[in-house]
Amino acid sequence: MDPANKHPDSGGAARDAAAPRRILGEAWRDWDPARELAGGDSRAAPVLFLSLATLLTALAIGAYLLLLWLAAPRLASFGVDGVLLRAWRWGGAGLLLLPALLLWGLPIGIRYPRRVAAALLFFLVFVWNGAEGVARTLRISRDRLGHAFVRVANPLALQAHPRAGGAILILAPRCLQAGMLRGLRALASEAGARLVVVGGGSQALAAIEEAAPRAVLAVACERDLVAGMREVAPHLAVLGLANRRPEGPCRNSEIDLDEARVLLRQLGRRGA
């Protein structure tokens, strides 16, 4: 999927034409085989991304409190001191902490109202770059972080876009093993979904614009999933399914067909 992807209803043909073309394998230019996990398996629990998002939130709160402390003398001259200053201090800190606290409810199955889930999706988009930077500093695999991101974003996408109806589009990469692709086609037939094999983000965007689906199941590597879901998930019900790469990126990748079946069922019963 492409970072330039937009919901098909949002228009923007001129922007799409000006956007750089993304091709298969482009996201792996900085891939280091020596650091790739065994079997191309980057699975990670949601707690990985949630922990880094919470750490970033704590840093933001620290910066906010420091700023207020430095500004306290000037604020006092405007009458902002005592109880009012404490309200600013702890009220602001609480608001900054709230999104991270709500995200921790996802692993235990808490469901949020549509608008809350949509706001949390935007929070994920906002915090990704910072989380990726912290992960790089801590030498955490970018792909494991991406896998954890997808596992947090999937339930939020379902909650933020609960309305059923409309077609389901499945986007699959060209690098998928033939047997896996046949299995995915069978699942698409069972679910009444349309399957399109794409070779990069530009083709994925064209498929979404042509099909105008109400929901998408995107199969790709974590790097492409994160890039696409950050842009599309706030506007359209998009679930990500990360592939495995036993032969390295963009070659004979594999997927869990049982997991694909579960995700398709979740998309199919939205609003039920």
Side-chain angles (χ1 to χ4, degrees):
M1 296 185 67
D2 191 345
N5 283 354
K6 296 289 183 186
H7 186 283
D9 295 334
S10 65
R15 290 194 307 273
D16 295 338
R21 178 180 174 84
R22 284 174 54 85
I23 59 175
L24 185 65
E26 183 178 43
W28 292 89
R29 288 178 178 175
D30 63 346
W31 180 64
D32 181 2
R35 297 182 60 186
E36 176 72 351
L37 299 177
D41 191 342
S42 301
R43 284 178 292 185
V47 67
L48 174 60
F49 182 82
L50 294 177
S51 297
L52 294 187
T54 304
L55 174 60
L56 286 171
T57 299
L59 294 174
I61 291 173
Y64 170 75
L65 295 177
L66 176 61
L67 180 62
L68 275 186
W69 179 74
L70 293 173
R74 178 57 62 89
L75 291 174
S77 67
F78 292 101
V80 181
D81 57 4
V83 175
L84 184 56
L85 182 59
R86 287 194 293 273
W88 277 30
R89 179 184 299 126
W90 302 118
L95 288 175
L96 288 171
L97 182 60
L98 183 60
L101 288 180
L102 292 176
L103 286 177
W104 280 101
L106 293 173
I108 59 176
I110 294 180
R111 295 184 59 84
Y112 295 113
R114 178 178 180 178
R115 292 190 177 183
V116 173
L120 291 175
L121 273 175
F122 278 105
F123 176 75
L124 292 187
V125 171
F126 175 77
V127 81
W128 167 259
N129 286 334
E132 186 181 25
V134 173
R136 189 182 304 113
T137 300
L138 299 177
R139 303 186 66 81
I140 296 173
S141 166
R142 173 182 171 189
D143 304 312
R144 291 188 67 242
L145 181 66
H147 193 103
F149 174 94
V150 171
R151 294 188 62 184
V152 174
N154 278 353
L156 284 178
L158 290 172
Q159 295 173 31
H161 307 285
R163 301 296 181 218
I168 296 174
L169 175 66
I170 303 175
L171 297 174
R174 285 200 311 239
C175 62
L176 200 60
Q177 287 183 10
M180 295 287 172
L181 185 57
R182 286 193 296 271
L184 195 57
R185 288 190 186 280
L187 291 179
S189 179
E190 292 175 10
R194 177 182 178 185
L195 173 67
V196 177
V197 178
V198 296
S202 298
Q203 291 183 16
L205 173 61
I208 291 175
E209 290 180 338
E210 177 185 351
R214 303 313 302 175
V216 175
L217 173 61
V219 179
C221 63
E222 290 85 1
R223 302 185 184 205
D224 283 338
L225 284 178
V226 170
M229 292 179 72
R230 287 177 63 202
E231 186 66 28
V232 178
H235 312 286
L236 177 67
V238 179
L239 299 187
L241 176 59
N243 59 26
R244 298 187 297 270
R245 302 166 295 278
E247 299 180 30
C250 308
R251 293 185 59 190
N252 292 325
S253 61
E254 303 172 348
I255 58 170
D256 185 333
L257 290 172
D258 289 334
E259 184 179 358
R261 180 181 287 108
V262 170
L263 294 177
L264 284 171
R265 286 175 179 170
Q266 290 176 342
L267 287 174
R269 66 171 178 257
R270 287 180 307 134

